[in-house]
Structures are given as C-alpha cells and as structure tokens.
C-alpha cells in the first residue's frame, strides 16, 4: 500500500476509533503533503512524501527542545506522541553505527581528504539517507571524519 493511501486509511480508522490526537496528526501530515503538491503542481512521489513527513518530525523535535526548556510538560508529552505517530510512516531510521559505516564508505569512494571535500561527501551521502537519518547527525559524523 502506498504511503498516501495508508495515511488515508489510518485517518478513517482514527475517526472510527475516536482517536483525536492520532486523527489530528494524520490530518496535519496529509495537509502538509497536499500543500507540497499544490506548490509543486504535481502529485508527490513516495520519496517526496517521506521527505515531507521527515520535515514534520524534525520541526516537532525542534519545538520539543524549546518546550522542554520552558518546562511545559503537557506540551512536551503531546509533541512526543505526535513524533511517535509520524515516525510510524517513515522508513526505519539508520543507527549511528550504520551511518558511520556509510560515511566511511562515501569518504573513501569520493577520496575525501579534509574539510574542503565536505560538500562533495554530503552531496553523495544525503540522497542515500534522506528520510532515514537526521541531517545534523550525518553532518557531524562527516565533520568528525574529515577533521
């Protein structure tokens, strides 16, 4: 089943189950997908849908940090649950160890020597991990290897 179809089916299930938060999160995700389709004037591919969902997760994680600093526990719990729901639709995330192996492979593949080659390494690795790893973590791992 395609991701968009799965979201629609899960939305219907959430309505039947009267699961308000799940329904709200799925509607938010579908709205973000629809907005991208309108902006790009085309139907999104599976990969593009994954990118939209990954962006929503990233935004929620950034908000989570701010709410934790402000000690707003109720909002923190709500955001954590939203992240959990969204992550159900994302491909399995790569572990840090898997990312390290991939970074090492790409560095040797492009024969990167120092920080001046970072853009080249990131250009090769990011399409491979899109939606399956946090870009900031990938960036940090590449920096650590090239310094």
């Amino acid at each position: 089943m395609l991701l968009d179809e799965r979201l629609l089916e899960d939305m219907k299930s959430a309505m039947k189950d009267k699961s308000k938060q799940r329904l709200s999160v799925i509607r938010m995700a579908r709205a973000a997908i629809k907005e991208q389709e309108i902006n790009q004037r085309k139907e999104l591919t599976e990969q593009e849908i994954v990118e939209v969902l990954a962006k929503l997760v990233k935004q929620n994680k950034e908000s989570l940090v701010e709410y934790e600093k402000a000690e707003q526990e109720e909002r923190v719990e709500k955001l954590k649950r939203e992240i959990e729901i969204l992550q159900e639709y994302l491909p399995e995330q790569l572990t840090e160890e898997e990312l390290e192996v991939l970074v090492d492979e790409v560095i040797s593949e492009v024969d990167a020597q120092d920080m001046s080659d970072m853009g080249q390494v990131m250009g090769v690795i990011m399409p491979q991990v899109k939606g399956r790893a946090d870009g900031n973590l990938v960036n940090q791992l590449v920096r650590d290897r090239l310094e």
Side-chain angles (χ1 to χ4, degrees):
M1 181 183 298
L2 295 174
L3 195 50
D4 202 29
E5 294 169 356
R6 187 172 153 215
L7 282 165
L8 182 60
E9 290 303 313
D10 288 354
M11 185 177 80
K12 290 176 185 176
S13 295
M15 281 184 209
K16 289 177 187 172
D17 299 340
K18 296 186 179 9
S19 175
K20 290 181 182 178
Q21 186 175 21
R22 184 170 192 77
L23 178 60
S24 172
V25 171
I26 293 171
R27 281 182 171 160
M28 174 188 63
R30 292 193 71 229
I33 292 166
K34 184 57 83 181
E35 180 182 9
Q36 280 300 316
E37 288 177 339
I38 291 169
N39 289 344
Q40 295 181 17
R41 294 188 174 105
K42 70 177 182 89
E43 197 169 309
L44 297 181
T45 64
E46 279 294 293
Q47 183 58 38
E48 290 170 327
I49 291 172
V50 167
E51 290 173 18
V52 170
L53 295 176
K55 184 177 178 183
L56 289 174
V57 169
K58 181 180 179 186
Q59 289 171 344
N60 279 358
K61 285 182 178 179
E62 290 169 355
S63 297
L64 185 67
V65 170
E66 296 303 315
Y67 283 113
E68 284 174 340
K69 285 180 186 174
E71 297 179 11
Q72 295 184 3
E73 287 305 312
E74 188 176 307
R75 186 66 178 138
V76 167
E77 291 307 313
K78 184 176 183 224
L79 278 173
K80 284 181 180 177
R81 181 69 185 125
E82 285 180 14
I83 291 168
E84 286 174 19
I85 293 168
L86 287 170
Q87 285 180 329
E88 292 174 19
Y89 300 99
L90 293 176
E92 188 174 324
Q93 299 293 295
L94 295 171
T95 65
E96 193 166 336
E97 292 77 28
E98 291 170 323
L99 277 175
E100 288 171 353
V101 169
L102 189 58
V103 166
D104 290 338
E105 288 173 3
V106 171
I107 287 174
S108 61
E109 178 185 314
V110 299
D111 196 29
Q113 303 298 321
D114 54 31
M115 287 300 290
S116 65
D117 298 320
M118 183 162 177
Q120 189 178 11
V121 173
M122 292 298 288
V124 172
I125 201 167
M126 285 312 291
Q128 294 178 27
V129 300
K130 201 77 164 170
R132 299 186 312 147
D134 179 30
N136 292 331
L137 177 59
V138 174
N139 186 306
Q140 189 59 49
L141 291 172
V142 171
R143 281 183 186 281
D144 293 346
R145 297 290 194 280
L146 293 179
E147 286 180 343

